[in-house]
Amino acid sequence: MNKYETIANEVVKNIGGTENIESVTNCMTRLRFTLKNVSKVDVESLEKVKGVQGVVNKNGQFQVVIGSDVSHVCDEIKKMGSFSETVNANSEENVSLVNRVLGAITAIFQPVIPAICGAGMIKAVLALLTAFHVVEATSQTYILLAMVADSAFYFLPIFLAVSSAKRFGCNTFIAAVLGAMLIHPTYAGIVSAGEAFKFIGLPIKLVSYGSSVVPAILIVWAQSYVEKFAKKISPNAVKVFLVPLIVFLIMTPLAFAIIGPLGSFVGDILCNIFDFLNNQARWVIPVLMGAFCPLFVMTGMHYSFMPVQLAQYATLGYGTLLGPGMLSSNISQAGACFAVALRTKDKEMKSTALSSATTALFGITEPALYGVTMKLKKPLWTVMISGGIAGLWGGLTNMRTYASATAGVTALPVYICDDLSNVRNAFICIVIALVSSFVLTLLFGVPKSEDTSSNSEVIEADNTKLNKYTEISSCMNGKVVPLENVEDDVFSKKIMGPGVAILPSEGKVYAPFDGVVNTVFPTKHAYGLTSLDGVETIIHLGLDTVNLEGKYFEAKVKSGQSVKKGDLLAEFDLEALQKEGFDMVTPVIITNSDQFIDVIETQKSDVKVGEELVKVFR
């Protein structure tokens, strides 16, 4: 059973089993369930599952925060049953109207966000390349990439129509046609002509729907009711063509004469409101978003702002709603975590804080929020204060984004425009958020229990040196890599246990002690061993190398075989693995560390086979 299966099984067990799941999907960091009975969930046990960073029940969805591995865990859960990816309307009967609307918007935008962010980053890269005159805006390369990026936004009505259909439980391909008709070249030509146009006597308001957000969602919502009606009145023998025919005949005039213009009107009102705030009190939105973003992330409400942000891009050409405020908040999370890592004496918290700070710098804050700042409480307040301070700078300097991207240090290119002060102000915003959050957390945000260790604790730590210990020798030649720096959350967060990693300089791995080989994985990329005095260790050769199914690996031992320290366990083609793009950092993990007093890693930066790597104290 792999790590994702283990997490999936534990999650399903604690939410009431597969029989309690109506639907399951995921966003970038969370599993999102629609459950038949939320009272069956064992929240306390669920929060203790290794790999689960937090639990949220909001907007008609039960959310389990996993982190970057969420898609793999979701895939394993889907294998357990035929669950829907849409929300059953009956499951929302006891949910307030506001939460139902927010839940719908969130669910609709989740699948679309990766495409929008990817396209936005292409725009950011192009802005960077043209700013440094690497690529000219008139070059064919620029034109082709710009076309790809623009496609994600121009054809947004189609993407949102498909996603809305999954949410509202209607036919996705019929919805796609309804979304596509809004941007069909013929209709675009009618709009460009500007002449009065009627459909069966109904006047059509000529509105351009390219890059629009609200109209497609409202049209598909209406489609869901029309489609149910069409299915009800259509004989089974002719449903296959009669249902879509009825939907198209009813929805075409509704869409162009009523719903589309209404959606466009709503979008315009929202943009006008934010445009007014930008001109009259531009500091308000970034301050509020910077301060309260952690609360929005807790509930998943941050996705609900995406329609307005996209409407801003479509009408104004830039966005101010999410970018500056979320950048301020996310970087503040990083600063707080760095401060906690510096001050805390708790090894596990230090490791969690360091890894969470790194991910927060790149815009993924759930590990920081659930693993550090919300857990310790005080750092959450310093994050909100610092986010508001940095957001004030962003508002006063009129910071704005020109494409969608995850709000972190890598998003700086989306601030590039003709006015280079915009990207400079964004950089200053990052510095303000990071420094203010770090200082405030260092001074006021770390609880005393995390800040200091008593003399008795120090004495106890010193006394461990007198205890019996097992020495785990280096199993290969190479550079030592702290476990928290390994690019895999299962290892960096020590979900499997503490240890250290080695970046090998040659393709050989040796036994780190006298003992027994418990497991040789069929893919030959991992080996489980137990020392003569009971220390259980896993040596994992590279990251994601399981996907090679044994290619480039050759095992020299078998399960159940006794080995001596220095015996050859396996050989692998290091050069070929690196050429194929695999990270060959090799974690050496103590999997039964709960049976020992402490695990101390070597302080060396380079090790050779046989040298001390880890001490396990009893």
Side-chain angles (χ1 to χ4, degrees), residues 182-197:
L182 298 177
I183 54 175
H184 192 280
T186 299
Y187 178 72
I190 293 171
V191 174
S192 298
E195 298 177 359
F197 193 88

Side-chain angles (χ1 to χ4, degrees), residues 37-292:
N37 189 347
V38 177
S39 64
K40 290 185 178 181
V41 179
D42 186 347
V43 175
E44 186 176 348
S45 298
L46 186 58
E47 289 177 333
K48 292 179 181 178
V49 173
K50 287 186 176 181
V52 171
Q53 299 176 15
V55 174
V56 180
N57 185 18
K58 200 73 174 176
N59 297 339
Q61 290 184 341
F62 193 87
Q63 305 169 15
V64 181
V65 183
I66 300 294
S68 58
D69 288 333
V70 66
S71 61
H72 301 295
V73 177
C74 190
D75 288 342
E76 294 299 333
I77 292 175
K78 288 177 180 177
K79 292 177 183 177
M80 299 180 191
S82 54
F83 310 121
S84 170
E85 292 187 5
T86 62
V87 177
N88 189 323
N90 295 330
S91 67
E92 296 189 341
E93 288 177 356
N94 297 321
V95 181
S96 70
L97 178 61
V98 172
N99 281 342
R100 289 177 67 177
V101 172
L102 292 176
I105 293 173
T106 299
I108 288 167
F109 273 89
Q110 282 166 9
V112 182
I113 285 173
I116 295 173
C117 288
M121 288 309 298
I122 290 180
K123 286 178 172 283
V125 170
L126 288 175
L128 201 60
L129 293 176
T130 53
F132 288 96
H133 304 291
V134 177
V135 172
E136 295 298 326
T138 56
S139 70
Q140 294 177 340
T141 299
Y142 181 96
I143 292 170
L144 185 63
L145 287 176
M147 178 198 71
V148 173
D150 289 339
S151 295
F153 296 94
Y154 183 79
F155 294 104
L156 192 58
I158 300 176
F159 306 148
L160 291 177
V162 171
S163 185
S164 297
K166 291 181 179 180
R167 169 68 187 191
F168 299 130
C170 50
N171 187 288
T172 54
F173 293 99
I174 294 176
V177 173
L178 295 178
M181 73 183 184
L182 298 177
I183 54 175
H184 192 280
T186 299
Y187 178 72
I190 293 171
V191 174
S192 298
E195 298 177 359
F197 193 88
K198 291 185 179 182
F199 177 78
I200 58 172
L202 292 173
I204 301 297
K205 185 177 180 181
L206 302 181
V207 178
S208 178
Y209 294 109
S211 303
S212 64
V213 174
V214 180
I217 296 174
L218 291 179
I219 288 169
V220 176
W221 173 73
Q223 173 204 336
S224 66
Y225 290 96
V226 174
E227 190 173 309
K228 287 177 185 176
F229 168 75
K231 287 179 178 178
K232 187 176 181 180
I233 66 171
S234 299
N236 289 332
V238 292
K239 270 186 179 179
V240 67
F241 65 83
L242 187 57
V243 170
L245 175 62
I246 293 172
V247 171
F248 289 142
L249 290 178
I250 294 176
M251 287 307 305
T252 298
L254 277 179
F256 285 115
I258 302 174
I259 300 176
L262 175 63
S264 178
F265 178 69
V266 171
D268 289 343
I269 289 177
L270 291 173
C271 281
N272 288 334
I273 291 172
F274 284 99
D275 192 34
F276 172 80
L277 289 173
N278 286 340
N279 294 327
Q280 303 301 321
R282 63 178 57 161
W283 57 272
V284 171
I285 297 174
V287 169
L288 293 178
M289 185 61 69
F292 295 106

Side-chain angles (χ1 to χ4, degrees), residues 453-473:
S453 297
S454 65
N455 290 334
S456 61
E457 289 173 328
V458 175
I459 292 172
E460 183 179 349
D462 289 340
N463 285 340
T464 61
K465 296 179 181 179
L466 303 176
N467 293 328
K468 183 179 178 182
Y469 66 85
T470 297
E471 179 182 303
I472 310 298
S473 300

